[in-house]
Amino acid sequence: MHSLRAEGISAGWCAARSVAGILAEAAAFPPGIALLDLDLGRDPNGTRVDGTHLVGPLLDSGWRVLVLSGSSDRTRIGGALAAGTLAWVPKHAPFPALLAAVRAALGGGTVMPPNRRAELIDLYEERTARHRELATKMGRLTQREREVLAELARGKRAQAVADQFVVSLSTVRTQIRAILTKLEVGSQLEAVALYRRAHGS
């Protein structure tokens, strides 16, 4: 912030550590350019504060947002851009690059190459579509089928699953066939892979 001030740009630092606190501090100033990190540590309750959740409320309050983040997750960056962020500037970028981005934003100019912006937004939208499709497939499973798939994902064999749920092996095999059909996969390994992807493991 001191470096921006040295360049004649009025800048301040938000000390709040929660989403509500950050938005309250922002509301105390006339809307301008917000330099927003995507990884804001943890709030007093220990909950991780994700900067992407602040983009919409800041925009609604009249702020324009520049993401200044060390995150290398291009999907998260694309999500912030899709939500209306002007641009992403890596934290490790040289100060002149940040200064140029801030000045371009203040002047209403192009802050980020349109093709790069579109590439990151497309990546986010593609992954979001895949997650939505996966959630739809998982939603087709009955409660017992989800339980069976969870046990298979833990490495249990069909007989062990049958013993656990006190049912016959043929019943579990029927459930496994139903799982494969509903998930549109050809093998138990593929079904387990989808389960793990859906549960972030």
Side-chain angles (χ1 to χ4, degrees):
M1 293 305 149
H2 295 297
S3 298
L4 290 174
R5 289 175 186 158
E7 295 292 334
I9 297 173
S10 177
W13 176 265
C14 178
R17 294 178 51 212
S18 67
V19 169
I22 292 168
L23 293 176
E25 283 200 29
F29 293 93
I33 304 296
L35 296 179
L36 178 66
D37 198 339
L38 297 184
D39 299 300
L40 295 168
R42 296 185 180 275
D43 66 17
N45 296 321
T47 303
R48 187 170 66 88
V49 182
D50 187 342
T52 57
H53 297 154
L54 287 160
V55 174
L58 286 171
L59 293 175
D60 291 343
S61 299
W63 288 83
R64 287 174 292 164
V65 180
L66 276 176
V67 167
L68 176 66
S69 179
S71 174
S72 59
D73 187 337
R74 296 191 303 158
T75 302
R76 289 181 71 206
I77 295 164
L81 292 170
T85 294
L86 292 173
W88 164 57
V89 181
K91 264 188 177 179
H92 56 75
F95 176 70
L98 171 61
L99 181 60
V102 171
R103 283 182 168 158
L106 289 171
T110 300
V111 187
M112 186 176 187
N115 60 336
R116 177 60 171 159
R117 178 185 180 85
E119 175 190 342
L120 291 169
I121 291 175
D122 286 347
L123 180 67
Y124 162 75
E125 290 179 344
E126 287 168 9
R127 185 170 295 185
T128 299
R130 288 198 300 270
H131 285 175
R132 190 181 301 116
E133 180 184 1
L134 178 55
T136 297
K137 289 180 177 178
M138 287 293 171
R140 297 170 185 165
L141 304 181
T142 66
Q143 178 63 32
R144 177 46 59 91
E145 287 165 354
R146 285 194 291 270
E147 292 169 350
V148 167
L149 183 53
E151 294 306 319
L152 296 175
R154 293 186 182 102
K156 288 188 177 179
R157 295 184 178 275
Q159 183 61 65
V161 175
D163 293 342
Q164 176 174 336
F165 293 121
V166 196
V167 295
S168 68
L169 178 57
S170 63
T171 294
V172 171
R173 285 177 173 163
T174 297
Q175 291 166 336
I176 291 173
R177 284 195 296 272
I179 290 168
L180 301 188
T181 299
K182 291 177 180 180
L183 297 185
E184 300 175 21
V185 295
S187 72
Q188 191 172 304
L189 286 176
E190 290 177 276
V192 165
L194 285 183
Y195 175 88
R196 289 175 174 162
R197 191 186 309 161
H199 292 80
S201 58

